[in-house]
Amino acid sequence: MSEQIRVGITLGDTNGIGPEVVIKALMDSRMCELFTPVIYGSPGAIAYYKKLIEGAGEFRYTPVNSAAEARDKCVNLINCTEGNFSITPGVRTADSGRAACDSLEAVTRDIKADMLDVVVTAPVNKEGLRECGLDFAGQTEYFAAEFGGEPLMMMCSELLRVGLVTTHLALGDVNGMITCERIVEQIMRLRRSLVQDFGIVEPRIAVLALNPHSGDGGLLGAEEQTVIKPAIEDAIGKGALAFGPFPADGFFAAAGYRKYDAALAMYHDQGLAPFKALTPQGVNFTAGLPVIRTSPDHGVAYDIAGRGIADPASMREAIYLALDVFRTRRRYAGMTRNPLQRFERERSGKDLSVRDLIPETETED
């Protein structure tokens, strides 16, 4: 692969604002100086939305069959659609769902084939995914199933970072998923991501309460005393700088998040509602996976699809974050590599395995 980072970018639901924000984010030719974009989607969708975007007439792309053929310094496009294909902005259709599924599956194949470095996904309609056979609660869960590991959904911006204990669940199902073991696992995943993906040496993590007023001493719920506090103590014992539990309303209203590197919310809207209110250009980052995947923090926005007014800022920030995480993760891997192995490799000018560093007589039983 070339030295320039290859970024796979899906168009998402073609009847939403995905194609529009992708085009707008890549219209500036300087973007191709930073990375090599590889769009996965429909040429027809690109042509349709270009007509609706002021100044997009000069937007050009190079058709390729796979990311292996992608050319640096230009936008590349892989056609993921076949047969008749219709576009109806603002409406969920079988075609828009199929387009989202096809682009996801295509970008996944190329990541697994080591043709891409990171992936940025435009928003999809979850019902559309299910209708075409991808029965997942969201793209976060899809990538977890494809690449292994337990995902940690993290919302990121320059202002704050918020991780989630539970993700796309009905509110009535959340309480059953709030266990001491799961909270500890998510604290440690969040800590690991902050270290290896964001370069924070020893992150400070605030853990939010589940109940209003942190349970008010048990009057409004006992989970803080019986589940969350023991989980925090367990995580501290494992090396995490974890604090709390904090009542969510006061934590965000009083800007308590400024004292911490990240907050861990118990459920989706507890974390995302204040995050989006405070950060209009946030990014959804799927931590805890071997593949780097980011996404804008908004949905398909059918209400403004096809009007040419969608803001590409979150898509642009999602691309920037994917690039930053890739570089930080690569630096971290280099810094934590076995020092003896690194020294011997640099001295010899070739890659060496651990066995190469140990005399043969010492490896025998």
Side-chain angles (χ1 to χ4, degrees):
M1 296 180 67
S2 66
E3 287 300 318
Q4 195 166 19
I5 300 173
R6 290 189 177 180
V7 180
I9 304 173
T10 65
L11 288 185
D13 188 310
T14 50
N15 288 345
I17 63 172
E20 180 181 341
V21 296
V22 169
I23 293 170
K24 286 181 175 179
L26 299 178
M27 279 171 53
D28 189 332
S29 60
R30 293 174 296 180
M31 294 290 279
C32 291
E33 299 294 326
L34 302 176
F35 64 96
T36 300
V38 185
I39 299 175
Y40 289 76
S42 162
I46 294 291
Y48 182 94
Y49 286 98
K50 271 182 60 175
K51 298 176 182 178
L52 306 177
I53 301 172
E54 183 178 356
E58 299 302 316
F59 178 78
R60 298 286 185 270
Y61 63 82
T62 300
V64 294
N65 294 316
S66 75
E69 302 175 5
R71 294 170 53 189
D72 292 342
K73 310 299 183 182
C74 69
V75 177
N76 301 270
L77 174 66
I78 296 175
N79 183 6
C80 300
T81 59
E82 296 180 359
N84 296 327
F85 182 79
S86 63
I87 298 175
T88 311
V91 180
R92 179 176 64 85
T93 65
D95 279 352
S96 66
R98 178 168 57 86
C101 290
D102 289 345
S103 63
L104 269 179
E105 292 175 334
V107 78
T108 299
R109 286 193 297 269
D110 281 358
I111 297 172
K112 289 181 176 180
D114 200 28
M115 298 178 189
L116 296 168
D117 295 304
V118 301
V119 61
V120 180
T121 58
V124 300
N125 182 292
K126 296 176 178 60
E127 292 181 56
L129 290 185
R130 290 195 183 95
E131 287 180 355
C132 68
L134 296 185
D135 192 14
F136 297 96
Q139 295 185 96
T140 299
E141 291 78 10
Y142 167 80
F143 279 99
E146 288 292 328
F147 293 95
E150 184 71 23
L152 170 69
M153 185 174 175
M154 189 192 311
M155 308 305 293
C156 306
S157 73
E158 294 184 359
L159 184 65
L160 75 159
R161 304 180 190 91
V162 178
L164 303 179
V165 174
T166 61
T167 54
H168 299 110
L169 288 177
L171 189 57
D173 297 331
V174 167
N175 197 51
M177 295 294 292
I178 302 298
T179 65
C180 184
E181 180 182 12
R182 184 172 180 82
I183 293 171
V184 173
E185 289 174 349
Q186 295 298 67
I187 290 174
M188 301 312 294
R189 288 191 184 100
L190 181 55
R191 177 182 181 273
R192 186 162 52 250
S193 179
L194 291 169
V195 172
Q196 73 172 15
D197 298 330
F198 295 88
I200 301 172
V201 176
E202 193 52 69
R204 294 166 55 87
I205 299 172
V207 181
L208 301 186
L210 174 66
N211 298 299
H213 309 300
S214 199
D216 258 349
L219 294 175
L220 302 178
E223 286 84 1
E224 284 71 27
Q225 302 297 324
T226 62
V227 179
I228 302 177
K229 280 189 177 180
I232 293 173
E233 292 170 358
D234 192 352
I236 292 172
K238 296 179 184 297
L241 291 181
F243 305 85
F246 300 103
D249 58 348
F251 179 80
F252 289 107
Y257 54 84
R258 295 184 183 275
K259 301 176 183 178
Y260 301 92
D261 297 295
L264 184 68
M266 293 296 112
Y267 57 93
H268 187 280
D269 283 13
Q270 183 189 48
L272 268 65
F275 177 88
K276 292 185 177 182
L278 293 166
T279 310
Q281 300 175 4
V283 178
N284 179 358
F285 169 53
T286 307
L289 300 181
V291 61
I292 297 170
R293 176 255 170 170
T294 64
S295 181
D297 71 348
H298 56 71
V300 293
Y302 284 148
D303 57 323
I304 62 170
R307 296 170 58 188
I309 61 174
D311 186 349
S314 186
M315 171 58 74
R316 194 178 296 113
E317 291 298 322
I319 294 171
Y320 292 156
L321 180 62
L323 297 175
D324 288 343
V325 170
F326 176 82
R327 296 188 184 100
T328 305
R329 190 176 288 190
R330 184 168 57 182
R331 284 196 300 269
Y332 179 80
M335 290 187 297
T336 57
R337 191 179 298 126
N338 182 299
L340 176 61
Q341 183 178 356
R342 182 169 66 246
F343 170 75
E344 292 293 338
R345 183 179 61 253
E346 291 172 351
R347 189 175 68 173
S348 66
K350 66 177 183 178
D351 287 336
L352 299 172
S353 67
V354 172
R355 286 186 177 276
D356 292 324
L357 305 177
I358 303 175
E360 186 174 347
T361 54
E362 294 184 17
T363 64
E364 298 176 355
D365 294 330

